[in-house]
Amino acid sequence: MTDERTANDQSPWMPFENRRRARDEKREAVLRMAVQVFLEQGYHRATLNEVAERLNITKPALYNYFRSKDEILFECWALGQEQVDDLIAVINRSRQSGLGKLRALVHAYAETMATDFGASLVRFDPRDLKPHNAEKVRAAKRGIDLTFRRYIAEGIADGSIKPCDPKLAAFAIAGSLNWIGHWYQRGGSLTPDAIADEFAIRLTDGLARRSVKKASAEAAPAPRTRKPTKGENR
Amino acid sequence: MTDERTANDQSPWMPFENRRRARDEKREAVLRMAVQVFLEQGYHRATLNEVAERLNITKPALYNYFRSKDEILFECWALGQEQVDDLIAVINRSRQSGLGKLRALVHAYAETMATDFGASLVRFDPRDLKPHNAEKVRAAKRGIDLTFRRYIAEGIADGSIKPCDPKLAAFAIAGSLNWIGHWYQRGGSLTPDAIADEFAIRLTDGLARRSVKKASAEAAPAPRTRKPTKGENR
């Protein structure tokens, strides 16, 4: 920041761009703390007083950034959903078989579930939101479900996945993944990476026409589903 | 009831045994209605007024049977847990391989998740209960998790299941099953029976040393995991 201030170092005010950025950072800090408190205590038991206290600010100060508790909940959800939307967009653009896409989604979604914002996709109740926001959440959930089904259907069509009921198969996979948001504990013995590696194979191998363990190298999961190098990790 | 009343038909009061039974029936009717309202609206939004109204009684009349809303929630959970405890007891007594026990548990648990009391095992938050009841719920959840792990470990030991991490495998299976409690809709296109049949194979086939589809008849799932005849259905 120091080098950016050279032009304005005569002024006691921050340049507009810096102020905007500082505001965005503070807004996100509120969400990071709020999602933590909501997950720890449950949305209904959690208070904005506690969120404010942990941030060393007053509760009224929170209202500089958000209008209400349920708006904060919605924004936490939105940050998790953004992660999922981004990774689906990347997978959609990739040139892989249906099975490859499914594995990539399982891997990335498993990692997302092990983050606070990711867990907020499954740990909170849309009925606590304003109706128009609840509807956005429900539509997005349907979208994720349909993406799983679409990759499975693509896999059946391209021969990488054995014939099955895409709806039931998608439910079985999504259930295992969403459950991570409930049981995962940061700092526990299982890292998000190890969970994602294991689930990417375990949850899809029964669907695959050729098992990973028996298949030849070219049928192994596409690069995107492999364990990323440490630098790539979020 | 008429034939039971012959001895007492001179008395305007019901025999004690009948009164006790009527009270138990009313108590259970309250729980059946309450769990439905809690699942529909979420525990925090649901009111005992609504539960009473739907039963054509007053809210104070509910307090003849239960002391508080959270006691009702706990009793709903307890009825679901009782179902699970019973089916685990039956499976424990059966003489099957670890894989057989695991399949039997997946099948029965899937069916339970498609009932209202079963869904209450996963749709409500123990933190809404009194601390001593919340502790009972958490201990029971750990118990179910350990049962899944134990069957998997038994299967590895007896050779019916391929070597794997029982903890992660149990989480993957329990996640798919618990998710049923969230998505299952009574009267939808998928019957509990069909879901249970599908999941009993899908969630365990990757672990099996010999796949169901390839295995010979004697390695097929034990009778308890097969589709029950209609008469056996709850």
Side-chain angles (χ1 to χ4, degrees):
Chain A
M1 204 176 269
T2 39
D3 44 355
E4 288 176 50
R5 288 184 58 189
T6 46
N8 292 297
D9 58 4
Q10 306 305 319
S11 165
W13 287 279
M14 264 201 261
F16 176 75
E17 182 55 28
N18 291 12
R19 266 181 289 156
R20 203 182 57 82
R21 199 177 308 145
R23 185 183 153 79
D24 284 354
E25 276 166 18
K26 284 175 182 164
R27 201 169 178 277
E28 209 186 302
V30 170
L31 293 179
R32 271 200 308 273
M33 186 60 79
V35 74
Q36 215 173 301
V37 175
F38 292 172
L39 288 172
E40 263 173 45
Q41 304 179 1
Y43 176 70
H44 287 276
R45 276 168 302 275
T47 66
L48 291 190
N49 263 330
E50 169 133 14
V51 175
E53 241 171 56
R54 290 203 202 175
L55 289 164
N56 301 315
I57 58 176
T58 62
K59 185 174 159 185
L62 286 179
Y63 292 106
N64 289 326
Y65 306 98
F66 301 97
R67 270 165 303 185
S68 60
K69 190 179 171 191
D70 70 89
E71 187 186 320
I72 295 179
L73 183 68
F74 177 74
E75 294 298 331
C76 292
W77 169 85
L79 283 178
Q81 184 63 36
E82 212 175 275
Q83 287 180 39
V84 175
D85 288 342
D86 289 351
L87 60 91
I88 288 176
V90 169
I91 297 169
N92 281 343
R93 282 196 302 272
S94 72
R95 295 175 164 277
Q96 305 183 71
S97 65
L99 179 64
K101 286 182 183 170
L102 181 65
R103 288 220 164 106
L105 180 55
V106 169
H107 197 283
Y109 194 89
E111 285 187 317
T112 302
M113 278 298 118
T115 67
D116 283 351
F117 290 124
S120 73
L121 296 185
V122 295
R123 292 271 294 275
F124 302 129
D125 188 336
R127 292 172 297 194
D128 289 323
L129 300 172
K130 299 229 163 31
H132 66 280
N133 284 336
E135 197 29 62
K136 279 185 205 164
V137 170
R138 289 195 192 99
K141 278 180 195 286
R142 278 193 298 275
I144 296 175
D145 181 38
L146 291 176
T147 304
F148 274 106
R149 293 191 206 180
R150 183 160 52 83
Y151 291 165
I152 295 169
E154 276 180 37
I156 296 171
D158 69 25
S160 57
I161 289 178
K162 288 183 276 196
C164 66
D165 176 352
K167 184 176 170 181
L168 260 186
F171 277 148
I173 291 173
S176 292
L177 291 172
N178 289 335
W179 198 237
I180 298 172
H182 290 267
W183 60 258
Y184 174 72
Q185 289 189 316
R186 205 181 296 170
S189 61
L190 296 163
T191 67
D193 217 37
I195 296 165
D197 281 356
E198 169 87 11
F199 275 37
I201 300 304
R202 178 177 301 288
L203 303 185
T204 64
D205 214 29
L207 298 172
R209 197 171 275 278
R210 304 173 74 186
S211 165
V212 166
K213 290 136 205 163
K214 294 171 207 147
S216 60
E218 32 103 56
R224 178 151 295 278
T225 73
R226 307 310 298 253
K227 189 170 172 161
T229 60
K230 287 303 156 204
E232 288 176 70
N233 258 330
R234 288 178 250 189
Chain B
M1 203 177 270
T2 39
D3 43 355
E4 286 175 50
R5 286 183 61 190
T6 45
N8 292 296
D9 57 4
Q10 306 304 321
S11 164
W13 287 279
M14 263 201 263
F16 177 75
E17 182 55 27
N18 291 13
R19 267 181 288 154
R20 203 182 58 82
R21 199 178 308 145
R23 185 184 154 79
D24 284 354
E25 275 167 18
K26 285 176 181 163
R27 202 170 178 275
E28 209 185 302
V30 170
L31 294 179
R32 272 200 308 272
M33 186 59 80
V35 74
Q36 215 174 301
V37 176
F38 291 172
L39 287 171
E40 262 175 46
Q41 304 179 2
Y43 176 70
H44 287 276
R45 274 168 304 276
T47 65
L48 291 190
N49 263 330
E50 170 134 14
V51 174
E53 243 171 56
R54 292 204 201 173
L55 288 164
N56 301 313
I57 58 175
T58 63
K59 185 174 159 185
L62 286 179
Y63 291 106
N64 289 327
Y65 306 99
F66 301 97
R67 270 165 303 185
S68 60
K69 190 179 170 191
D70 70 271
E71 188 187 319
I72 295 179
L73 183 68
F74 177 74
E75 294 297 332
C76 291
W77 169 86
L79 283 179
Q81 183 63 36
E82 213 175 275
Q83 287 181 39
V84 175
D85 288 343
D86 288 352
L87 61 91
I88 289 177
V90 170
I91 298 169
N92 281 343
R93 282 195 302 271
S94 71
R95 294 173 165 277
Q96 305 184 70
S97 66
L99 179 64
K101 286 182 183 170
L102 181 65
R103 288 219 166 107
L105 180 56
V106 170
H107 197 282
Y109 194 91
E111 286 187 315
T112 302
M113 277 300 117
T115 66
D116 283 350
F117 291 124
S120 74
L121 295 185
V122 296
R123 292 270 295 275
F124 302 128
D125 189 336
R127 292 172 297 195
D128 289 323
L129 300 171
K130 299 230 164 32
H132 65 282
N133 284 336
E135 195 31 60
K136 280 185 205 163
V137 170
R138 290 196 191 96
K141 277 179 195 286
R142 279 194 298 275
I144 296 175
D145 181 39
L146 291 176
T147 304
F148 275 107
R149 294 191 206 180
R150 183 159 53 81
Y151 291 165
I152 295 169
E154 276 180 38
I156 297 172
D158 68 25
S160 58
I161 290 179
K162 288 183 276 195
C164 66
D165 176 350
K167 185 177 169 180
L168 260 186
F171 276 147
I173 291 173
S176 293
L177 292 172
N178 289 336
W179 198 236
I180 297 171
H182 290 267
W183 61 257
Y184 174 72
Q185 288 190 317
R186 205 180 296 170
S189 61
L190 297 162
T191 67
D193 217 37
I195 296 165
D197 280 356
E198 169 86 12
F199 275 37
I201 300 303
R202 178 177 303 286
L203 303 185
T204 63
D205 214 31
L207 297 172
R209 197 172 276 277
R210 303 172 76 186
S211 165
V212 167
K213 289 136 207 162
K214 294 171 206 144
S216 61
E218 32 103 58
R224 180 152 294 280
T225 74
R226 308 309 298 255
K227 190 171 173 163
T229 60
K230 287 304 159 205
E232 289 176 70
N233 259 331
R234 290 179 252 190

